[in-house]
Amino acid sequence: MSAKNPSVLDNYPDYALNIGIEVHVQLTTNSKIFCESPNEQTKDPNLCICNVCAGYPGVLPVLNKKVVDYAILAALGTNSTINPLCSFARKHYFYPDLPKGYQTTQGADPICQEGYIPIRLEDGSIKNIRLIRIHMEEDAGKNIHAQGTNESFVDLNRAGTPLLEIVSYPDIESTYEAKAYLKALHHIVTYLGICSGNMEEGAFRADTNISVRKKDSTTFGTRCELKNINSFKFIGDAIEYEIERQIDLLESGEKVHQETRLWDTNQKISKVMRSKEEAADYRYFSDPDLPLLKIDEAWIARIKEMLPELPHAKFVRFTTDIGLSPYEAEILIDNKDLADYFEKAHALTKSRHLINWILRDLMGYLKEHKLELADCKLSPELMAELINLIDKGTINNAAAKEVFEIVMQTGQSPAIIVKEKGLEQIGSTDELEAIVKQLVANNPAQVEQYKSGKDKMFGFFVGMAMKETKGKGNPQIIQELLKKYLS
Ligand SMILES: [Zn+2]
């Protein structure tokens, strides 16, 4: 489809790259994972908290069933195996925004494992990125360091927000694949309706584990983890930087140290944050306050009924059944509302013009006027009506653009606008033939010039004919008639 995206790895043909990604997805349930506090973070600090999420001693967590529903949806959307029995564990660490002193998460037996996510490579082929596991856990609160003072504050609104952690195998072998994987996963969780997908607000955050090795080596190199980068572009930049940094170290005979690094978006470099803790440091153990969680076939079957068409399936259907190009399908998949818009209009017209009008005119107009699709007055039904008027030859392209602008502003029916403004195309050959004959008769000098080889004069006659019909003539018929009478 597109040319290969250049990567710094191209400069080091002896080296291979392995990337595994952990993504934290914030779930959009109404309440938090272990209490009834509202799952909202935008309110003033510490307004959405209770004794449970504030970590008071002696309180008991109660699992939010909706979180399990969402986790099952994620499992079904990523081809994962759901464990019939799973449990929660405590992961211990101290941080002021975690008053309990441990995070409630899942340990050895997560809700699901061994899934995969298909991604499209640059040559259009499909590669499955395997998932190790998906587990449920709670988010921590936030420390706020007041600017210009020595004070810090703790806001616990985020504490207890339900998260899914989705962990891939190190199957990702290029910067391009890393970005494609993240986009595919982002599409899946937003299509499933379990996550807002808002990266800037931290609703979808990726930790990227990067290691390089000599191609002939059978073991992975030492990995570094890049924490919480909040845009696909920055993740790409950071991986490119990290590939070069690690290869430089190895080439100069040094070692890569296992550590967590932060990406500095201004300086475009990664910096050490801390050396990586081993899993044992967290002293995981089974949470005695939460019972084992049993998920039976009936529960899974109930969730399966809620499963929407997934982005990959939609892409395949758009390209093979409907005949869109991969490029066109990709743009629609990227924006679920736009894909839905296309489908509603496509149910009413199978015209090839439809996708062009959506991608070119509709998208262009929305961008220019800074509008959202939801605010658009040209409904899919009206769009289909407009396209049908073009296809039937009722209006030509110039008139269609005029009608389009009016519908965008008023939401009126295109057919009514065409009638009221008298924009119907003059498609009758008799009427146009009379006009063309007249033009040829009235402009003998120009006819001579055309006949003596001045091809440009053809445009002069087309222009005159369009003017004569006040822009409503069918350009194709006019051209055919002119060819006949000028020869
Ligand atoms: Zn609470």
Side-chain angles (χ1 to χ4, degrees):
M1 184 172 66
S2 59
K4 188 171 157 45
N5 290 271
S7 165
V8 64
L9 195 61
D10 303 338
N11 305 331
Y12 303 97
D14 297 345
Y15 281 90
L17 173 69
N18 292 95
I19 297 177
I21 300 184
E22 294 162 20
V23 174
H24 284 92
V25 173
Q26 266 179 6
L27 301 180
T28 49
T29 52
N30 292 327
S31 53
K32 293 184 179 179
I33 182 168
F34 298 122
C35 63
E36 289 181 338
S37 301
N39 180 22
E40 285 177 39
Q41 296 154 37
T42 48
K43 293 238 171 95
D44 283 341
N46 297 314
L47 280 187
C48 303
I49 64 172
C50 70
N51 294 346
V52 174
C53 52
Y56 278 40
V59 294
L60 284 174
V62 177
L63 177 61
N64 179 349
K65 220 173 163 185
K66 198 86 191 167
V67 173
V68 184
D69 288 351
Y70 282 13
I72 295 172
L73 269 176
L76 296 173
T78 56
N79 315 290
S80 298
T81 304
I82 297 168
N83 290 327
L85 203 60
C86 67
S87 69
F88 285 92
R90 294 182 178 183
K91 178 182 180 183
H92 297 82
Y93 63 94
F94 172 77
Y95 216 57
D97 60 14
L98 185 75
K100 290 191 297 183
Y102 62 86
Q103 179 193 28
T104 308
T105 177
Q106 296 195 283
D109 45 4
I111 184 161
C112 56
Q113 55 200 37
E114 300 301 331
Y116 66 87
I117 292 176
I119 62 168
R120 275 182 301 284
L121 302 183
E122 291 151 291
D123 64 2
S125 65
I126 300 295
K127 173 174 174 177
N128 289 332
I129 304 297
R130 294 170 304 146
L131 302 182
I132 299 174
R133 59 189 275 152
I134 299 178
H135 65 252
M136 301 175 281
E137 62 184 24
E138 62 181 349
D139 210 343
K142 265 183 188 166
N143 295 321
I144 300 162
H145 307 292
Q147 277 198 335
T149 77
N150 246 344
E151 292 174 304
S152 287
F153 301 93
V154 176
D155 173 13
L156 294 178
N157 280 349
R158 197 177 70 177
T161 292
L163 298 177
L164 292 182
E165 183 174 332
I166 300 168
V167 187
S168 86
Y169 280 96
D171 286 353
I172 297 160
E173 293 170 299
S174 71
T175 307
Y176 180 89
E177 288 182 19
K179 288 206 272 188
Y181 168 74
L182 285 168
K183 279 187 189 163
L185 180 56
H186 189 265
H187 287 155
I188 290 170
V189 295
T190 51
Y191 272 60
L192 291 173
I194 62 175
C195 173
S196 74
N198 191 322
M199 293 179 78
E200 275 169 35
E201 287 172 6
F204 183 96
R205 9 187 238 264
D207 300 338
T208 312
N209 288 290
I210 304 164
S211 70
V212 297
R213 62 180 163 85
K214 282 276 172 102
K215 268 185 183 154
D216 52 19
S217 161
T218 50
T219 52
F220 291 131
T222 307
R223 67 176 194 265
C224 287
E225 183 184 30
L226 284 166
K227 268 278 183 211
N228 285 342
I229 306 175
N230 67 355
S231 91
F232 296 126
K233 180 183 182 306
F234 290 157
I235 288 169
D237 291 348
I239 293 171
E240 287 288 293
Y241 176 86
E242 198 54 24
I243 293 169
E244 188 137 56
R245 189 188 70 84
Q246 293 188 15
I247 293 177
D248 278 353
L249 281 174
L250 297 178
E251 285 290 294
S252 55
E254 290 178 65
K255 273 186 179 161
V256 175
H257 296 285
Q258 186 171 337
E259 58 201 8
T260 300
R261 299 178 71 87
L262 282 180
W263 178 245
D264 184 323
T265 47
N266 294 321
Q267 294 185 61
K268 291 192 189 312
I269 56 170
S270 69
K271 293 174 176 170
V272 187
M273 181 178 156
R274 56 169 187 252
S275 63
K276 182 80 182 164
E277 301 90 345
E278 290 303 319
D281 293 345
Y282 292 120
R283 210 168 53 88
Y284 277 90
F285 69 77
S286 206
D287 193 313
D289 287 344
L290 286 156
L292 293 174
L293 174 62
K294 196 176 155 194
I295 299 169
D296 57 19
E297 286 301 322
W299 194 346
I300 296 170
R302 187 167 59 77
I303 301 299
K304 219 173 226 166
E305 304 222 323
M306 294 156 53
L307 198 68
E309 182 182 37
L310 290 163
H312 181 68
K314 206 185 270 294
F315 179 89
V316 171
R317 188 166 56 80
F318 278 1
T319 48
T320 53
D321 297 357
I322 297 184
L324 299 184
S325 73
Y327 170 77
E328 291 162 344
E330 199 84 63
I331 295 176
L332 293 182
I333 300 297
D334 219 25
N335 180 342
K336 184 168 181 293
D337 291 341
L338 194 66
D340 290 345
Y341 185 101
F342 169 78
E343 298 231 58
K344 279 186 197 148
H346 187 258
L348 302 168
T349 172
K350 301 287 176 263
S351 170
R352 180 62 216 167
H353 288 309
L354 175 63
I355 187 65
N356 294 334
W357 274 81
I358 288 179
L359 297 187
R360 184 193 59 206
D361 302 274
L362 178 64
M363 295 299 284
Y365 187 97
L366 294 179
K367 201 174 167 197
E368 192 190 332
H369 295 82
K370 297 195 171 61
L371 286 172
E372 294 293 326
L373 191 60
D375 311 323
C376 173
K377 289 189 172 146
L378 178 69
S379 66
E381 293 75 21
L382 294 179
M383 175 64 103
E385 190 182 319
L386 177 66
I387 301 295
N388 281 329
L389 289 172
I390 302 168
D391 274 359
K392 278 190 289 182
T394 312
I395 51 175
N396 63 24
N397 219 36
K401 288 205 192 276
E402 195 180 333
V403 174
F404 171 83
E405 290 271 337
I406 298 170
V407 185
M408 280 306 234
Q409 285 156 23
T410 64
Q412 264 188 299
S413 145
I416 292 173
I417 296 168
V418 167
K419 277 236 164 62
E420 280 180 3
K421 299 217 140 212
L423 292 169
E424 289 98 339
Q425 177 164 250
I426 301 174
S428 106
T429 311
D430 290 349
E431 210 173 327
L432 291 174
E433 191 158 20
I435 291 169
V436 167
K437 267 182 172 168
Q438 195 68 44
L439 274 176
V440 171
N442 290 351
N443 298 282
Q446 282 83 353
V447 174
E448 253 338 287
Q449 286 178 24
Y450 177 74
K451 283 188 174 164
S452 64
K454 224 175 165 191
D455 291 344
K456 269 205 308 204
M457 289 318 291
F458 193 76
F460 163 81
F461 284 104
V462 173
M464 290 291 284
M466 288 307 282
K467 205 173 155 194
E468 206 60 34
T469 61
K470 299 197 174 60
K472 295 185 285 184
N474 181 325
Q476 271 162 335
I477 300 178
I478 288 176
Q479 293 199 15
E480 278 161 27
L481 287 167
L482 279 169
K483 273 180 201 150
K484 180 172 152 195
Y485 285 97
L486 286 172
S487 60

